[in-house]
Amino acid sequence: MTVSSANPRTPNPKPKAAAARDQILTHAARMMRARGYADMSLRELAAEVGMKAGSLYYHFPSKEALATDVMRLGVEIVSDAVQAGLEDAPDLPPRARMARAMQIHLETLLSASDFSSAHIRCYPFVPLTVQSELKSVRKKYDKIWSALIEQHLGPKATPTDIRYLRYAIIGALNWSLEWFDPAHDDAAVYVTSVADRLLRESP
Amino acid sequence: MTVSSANPRTPNPKPKAAAARDQILTHAARMMRARGYADMSLRELAAEVGMKAGSLYYHFPSKEALATDVMRLGVEIVSDAVQAGLEDAPDLPPRARMARAMQIHLETLLSASDFSSAHIRCYPFVPLTVQSELKSVRKKYDKIWSALIEQHLGPKATPTDIRYLRYAIIGALNWSLEWFDPAHDDAAVYVTSVADRLLRESP
DNA sequence: GTCTATAATATGATAGAC
DNA sequence: GTCTATCATATTATAGAC
């Protein structure tokens, strides 16, 4: 699956443009993740995909627009994977649904890692216009989790209970980007250990 | 307390230089936190503290050295606070020591926030030379937590158990930088809710 | 679709006056 | 300690040829 086929905002693009666009997005994600938004150089990015800097502007109107698309994909890929994973197993009890969502979130994060990392790491530093454009996808993904947690905690849970558990889970999972090493770590083991602790019933 | 008085590497500095140095560090921390390392402009930074760009080089040999000092303070302030807090209460049982450490970590993070945020947010993007210089302070702080967790989990815990619980705790706490709003959130409430879940005995 | 050439501007760092 | 002036170099973005 190409990255632009995952983006419904680009219907029926000409094949060659689509392929070049994908290449740009892929390399941009890698570069943003590694060096940050400000230090992503369009000259270097163009060189990596075999073109000159000016040619990028045929595919994206600005650096901000390119970054927006990279970061939007970073959320959408994870969000869509989690949603699909939950729909594939509709009869699980709430706690198992949460564990499954955590598993998919972490695995998608660590495999589609450049896009998601770029989002998570760069969001605080990206121009306000970019942050604004990302607000709706971010909110959509938050709502998936809030709904899951509400089911899990039951009717006596306050909105703050729900928010705080969501932050703890997402924080514990996203922080893996700073330490996870595929050679030594196992995503399933980590997720199990976190889920065992964070999802147990209150005392 | 001035930031440079907290830095034992600068003994007996001339008062005027020390004051200017502190101002530079404080504003640099604010700017790095908000805009990232690459986008921190030395010209703007100098203007904020009322000098010209060239004058900064009397106090710091390079942008990298300045960033290193900001980020080092970011860890040291938290690390020293946690260590002191544990030494002040030597007789607490392991679980209470952990909860206390979490509390101090979060509160220090959220109050000395610019230095710590600059560290947490910018570390992935900072030049390798800067990352190298920070490795020892980071390791020192990690060891405090590993020791605490080893006591808490008991002798049957593997090194992986210890590492993963450390990552989950630090991740859940550090992520607060991205959502905590002093007007609506209470650090003590969040820390209690996280500690209640993450520190319970295994089933 | 991609190129060349360039505009307009910002950057970190240094040298030397004061 | 701070300033001025400057070097060398990077940046995003645009216009127009092909």
Side-chain angles (χ1 to χ4, degrees):
Chain A
M1 179 183 78
T2 64
V3 286
S4 65
S5 76
N7 184 350
R9 275 158 211 75
T10 313
N12 303 324
K14 305 246 186 325
K16 184 168 180 184
R21 215 187 115 94
D22 275 13
Q23 275 246 319
I24 295 169
L25 284 168
T26 303
H27 283 81
R30 224 181 34 69
M31 207 156 165
M32 277 185 71
R33 177 207 184 140
R35 302 170 39 172
Y37 173 77
D39 203 36
M40 167 173 70
S41 154
L42 298 188
R43 272 173 174 73
E44 284 187 53
L45 173 60
E48 280 185 16
V49 304
M51 31 169 92
K52 301 293 179 174
S55 311
L56 295 175
Y57 288 83
Y58 174 81
H59 302 279
F60 299 92
S62 67
K63 185 181 182 178
E64 295 191 10
L66 168 56
T68 304
D69 280 1
V70 166
M71 295 171 75
R72 186 188 292 116
L73 281 168
V75 204
E76 282 178 345
I77 292 170
V78 176
S79 182
D80 292 353
V82 169
Q83 191 142 48
L86 292 174
E87 285 164 4
D88 284 353
D91 297 328
L92 290 177
R95 203 212 122 131
R97 283 169 66 81
M98 294 266 300
R100 186 174 168 87
M102 289 174 66
Q103 179 78 31
I104 296 170
H105 177 104
L106 188 69
E107 269 172 8
T108 314
L109 207 66
L110 293 171
S111 61
S113 175
D114 286 337
F115 288 90
S116 309
S117 288
H119 185 116
I120 294 168
R121 285 182 171 175
C122 297
Y123 186 80
F125 301 138
V126 117
L128 288 176
T129 55
V130 176
Q131 291 187 356
S132 289
E133 292 224 54
L134 295 170
K135 254 159 205 166
S136 76
V137 261
R138 287 166 63 93
K139 228 171 223 166
K140 187 184 162 198
Y141 188 48
D142 281 353
K143 277 187 185 163
I144 295 178
W145 279 100
S146 296
L148 277 175
I149 295 173
E150 196 175 356
Q151 291 286 320
H152 171 65
L153 291 182
K156 58 185 196 307
T158 68
T160 299
D161 291 336
I162 295 170
R163 266 178 74 233
Y164 282 3
L165 182 53
R166 174 159 60 81
Y167 288 138
I169 291 173
I170 299 296
L173 296 181
N174 286 358
W175 188 245
S176 68
L177 294 177
E178 307 306 323
W179 57 263
F180 193 90
D181 174 4
H184 298 91
D185 292 305
D186 182 331
V189 172
Y190 180 64
V191 123
T192 301
S193 99
V194 173
D196 278 353
R197 294 183 174 277
L198 283 182
L199 303 185
R200 249 172 302 152
E201 305 304 318
S202 295
Chain B
M1 180 182 78
T2 65
V3 286
S4 64
S5 74
N7 184 350
R9 275 158 209 77
T10 313
N12 303 324
K14 305 246 184 325
K16 186 169 181 184
R21 215 187 116 93
D22 274 13
Q23 275 244 320
I24 295 169
L25 284 168
T26 303
H27 283 81
R30 226 181 31 71
M31 207 156 165
M32 278 185 71
R33 178 206 184 141
R35 300 170 39 173
Y37 173 76
D39 203 35
M40 167 173 70
S41 154
L42 298 188
R43 275 173 172 73
E44 282 187 53
L45 173 60
E48 279 185 17
V49 305
M51 31 170 92
K52 301 294 177 173
S55 311
L56 294 174
Y57 287 82
Y58 175 81
H59 301 280
F60 299 91
S62 67
K63 185 182 182 179
E64 295 190 9
L66 169 57
T68 303
D69 280 1
V70 166
M71 293 171 76
R72 187 188 292 115
L73 282 168
V75 205
E76 282 179 345
I77 292 171
V78 176
S79 183
D80 292 352
V82 168
Q83 191 142 49
L86 291 174
E87 284 164 4
D88 284 353
D91 297 328
L92 290 177
R95 202 210 122 131
R97 284 169 65 81
M98 294 267 299
R100 187 174 167 88
M102 289 173 66
Q103 179 79 32
I104 296 170
H105 177 103
L106 188 68
E107 269 172 8
T108 315
L109 207 66
L110 294 171
S111 61
S113 176
D114 286 337
F115 288 90
S116 310
S117 286
H119 185 119
I120 294 168
R121 286 182 171 176
C122 297
Y123 185 80
F125 301 137
V126 117
L128 288 177
T129 56
V130 176
Q131 291 186 357
S132 290
E133 292 224 54
L134 295 170
K135 254 159 206 166
S136 76
V137 261
R138 286 165 64 93
K139 229 171 223 164
K140 188 184 161 198
Y141 188 48
D142 280 354
K143 277 186 184 162
I144 296 178
W145 279 98
S146 296
L148 277 175
I149 296 173
E150 196 175 356
Q151 292 285 321
H152 171 65
L153 291 183
K156 59 186 196 310
T158 69
T160 299
D161 291 337
I162 295 169
R163 266 179 75 232
Y164 283 3
L165 181 53
R166 174 158 61 80
Y167 289 139
I169 291 172
I170 299 296
L173 296 182
N174 285 358
W175 188 246
S176 68
L177 294 177
E178 307 306 323
W179 55 264
F180 193 88
D181 174 5
H184 298 90
D185 292 303
D186 182 331
V189 172
Y190 181 63
V191 122
T192 301
S193 100
V194 172
D196 277 354
R197 294 181 175 278
L198 283 182
L199 303 185
R200 251 172 301 151
E201 306 304 318
S202 297

